[in-house]
Amino acid sequence: MVFSLKITPIFFLVLYIGFGLRLCIAVWNSFYGPSFGAELDALSFHNVAVEYANDPTASIPGIGWMYSYFLGQFYSITTDHIFLGSLLSCVVWVLSALFLLKILNLLGVNNRNKYLALLIYTFLPSSLLYTSVTLREVYQLLFVNIVIYSALMIIIRKSLLHWMSLSIGVIGASILHGGLLIFGVFLTALTLFFLSINSRVSRVKFWTGLTLIAPLLIAIMAFGVSIFTEHAYQLDNGTINSIISFQNTGILIDARTNYKTDVSVSSVFEFLMFIPTSVFQYLFEPMLWKISAVIDIPIFLENILRLWLILIAIKGLRASSLGYYYPLLFILIAYFALEIIWSLGTVNWGTALRHHIPATGILLAAAFANRKIKKKALAKEVKK
């Protein structure tokens, strides 16, 4: 799947430099650090992994700490030094980048746009810092990219084989974070719907069909919420009340980067009105007038870049030919679905910065797949 991808020298050079920079951060973090982003959670995941490595009888943890469990298994056959855990993250990032290139190839993106997408993917400051240490985000990124690639192969190529890789991606993402469990279930349902749509169907008929099949999608999502409740987070007070309670609990943690001070919702309508505001803040905080530290400046600039990518993705979708419309729409829906899920559990831009990592590949695919696409078949890569 991945290793059959042909990589031109310029793409190989970018990947090589990206891996090298991450390796330097891993070395610094392991022997001199911690580096920025490698404190608290990264050290916690590593320390728990060390415990699992030294205690083979330890029980398998629930969703959230499965990363530490697998890292612990890796430590048990190597050694429990944090550099090895960080090095593994660097390798996983390379794999995720290869899947991004496969997605772009599948969408028929020209080399210039693939190069631009890979440059952003490689050198985005938050990606450099968070994908080179012992955090879950780089693994989440890999599995999300696998899910998107597999789904597109199913939709575009009608590939039955890629239902297996889609399942692997969904399961892998789900055991890393409860939010990704919901995302995986939703993407599976969405893939089924797009697979049933004929590429020659008009856009009006497409949206009509989506409306008609909405109850099935809702039913599948309800099943996903049931699994989520059983294995990830308890929603005993109802989904809406649990989300609001979770947000208010996060607000109680005094943090400079909090962009919310209080969340009060008393009806379904108010909750529906709350979601757009929550998503907007999640995507674009800090606002310029909220910048109070030097570290906020690159975060602000990344938010500007994110806004630009979203806008060109939407513009490109509207201008795309019918044959490209559905794959691009699928990617854009997937992006917003993932970011909406993250936004409902996030109250500060420090945490949001990390949560943006798994969606990086989706956004870049949505943005660059529609810029001066060659009017040929959607994909030319060899069928797997």
Side-chain angles (χ1 to χ4, degrees), residues 1 149-150 153-154 159-166 384:
M1 291 174 61
Y149 172 70
S150 301
M153 284 295 291
I154 293 169
S159 172
L160 293 176
L161 179 62
H162 284 82
W163 278 109
M164 181 180 297
S165 58
L166 176 69
K384 304 303 180 286

Side-chain angles (χ1 to χ4, degrees), residues 17-140:
I17 295 173
F19 176 78
L21 289 174
R22 284 167 174 78
L23 185 60
C24 290
I25 294 173
V27 170
W28 171 262
N29 173 60
S30 303
F31 298 99
Y32 307 100
S35 58
F36 178 81
E39 319 93 336
L40 300 176
D41 284 356
L43 288 175
S44 296
F45 284 125
H46 165 72
N47 290 333
V48 173
V50 171
E51 293 179 12
Y52 284 118
N54 295 323
D55 183 9
T57 63
S59 60
I60 297 177
I63 289 178
W65 290 101
M66 286 298 290
Y67 164 60
S68 288
Y69 176 78
F70 287 113
L71 184 60
Q73 300 308 304
F74 175 70
Y75 284 161
S76 68
I77 60 177
T78 55
T79 186
D80 58 5
H81 197 286
I82 194 171
F83 172 70
L84 291 180
S86 300
L87 175 62
L88 193 58
S89 293
C90 298
V91 173
V92 170
W93 175 82
V94 174
L95 292 176
S96 76
L98 294 178
F99 270 102
L100 173 64
L101 288 176
K102 287 177 74 67
I103 291 170
L104 297 176
N105 282 347
L106 182 59
L107 293 168
V109 180
N110 60 45
N111 282 337
R112 176 181 177 274
N113 288 333
K114 281 193 290 187
Y115 180 64
L116 291 174
L118 187 60
L119 284 178
I120 296 174
Y121 192 83
T122 301
F123 299 112
L124 196 68
S126 59
S127 176
L128 279 170
L129 292 169
Y130 289 137
T131 61
S132 55
V133 297
T134 51
L135 286 171
R136 297 174 294 179
E137 276 69 19
V138 67
Y139 295 85
Q140 294 171 359

